[in-house]
Amino acid sequence: MNNVAYVTTPGGEELAILPRSELDALRELLEHAQSLGGFRAGQLPGLTPDEARALVAATSPLAFWRRYRKQTQAVLAASVGVTQNYLSEIENGKRGGDVALWLRLARALELPVESLVDEGD
């Protein structure tokens, strides 16, 4: 963070200006800290190395966490009010879903919604 410039607005607010690469690095550190905090608070389960590899290899984080929680597509779909086919398409990246659906999925799987989506989504 050696490339930070500070400016003061006409209203007296002090702002920091930094290169995009440093902002992105700070965001990544924040996301890591939040995930670690979620783990420590018991919001995210600890994964074994094999489970972590399975998460990375899964079709989607949603598919992994559904299997991790030992739920079938039919059971999870029914609990959030969609069809099994629709859930399958979401897990396979063929369909999206509105924010309300993702929140219901997160609640049903007892996870933060951020755990269910790929970073690129």
Side-chain angles (χ1 to χ4, degrees):
M1 299 258 311
N2 297 329
N3 299 320
V4 178
Y6 298 94
V7 296
T8 304
T9 67
E13 182 180 17
E14 189 174 23
L15 304 176
I17 301 172
L18 64 154
R20 178 63 181 247
S21 61
E22 291 187 23
L23 175 63
D24 291 342
L26 285 171
R27 283 185 175 151
E28 188 173 320
L29 287 171
L30 176 61
E31 288 174 14
H32 176 72
Q34 288 171 332
S35 294
L36 186 57
F39 170 74
R40 288 184 175 152
Q43 295 171 324
L44 292 173
L47 299 178
T48 67
D50 286 341
E51 291 167 336
R53 283 189 285 278
L55 173 58
V56 171
T59 307
S60 66
L62 173 59
F64 169 82
W65 288 111
R66 176 187 53 76
R67 287 190 298 271
Y68 182 87
R69 296 290 197 215
K70 298 179 178 21
Q71 290 195 30
T72 64
Q73 284 183 342
V75 168
L76 180 58
S79 73
V80 298
V82 297
T83 65
Q84 181 272 326
N85 188 53
Y86 186 67
L87 181 61
S88 175
E89 290 178 348
I90 292 172
E91 284 188 1
N92 289 300
K94 295 178 182 174
R95 292 188 74 170
D98 62 20
V99 172
L101 172 59
W102 285 100
L103 291 171
R104 292 193 310 272
L105 288 164
R107 279 193 294 276
L109 295 170
E110 300 177 359
L111 293 165
V113 71
E114 296 87 359
S115 299
L116 300 180
V117 293
D118 282 320
E119 203 171 287
D121 289 348

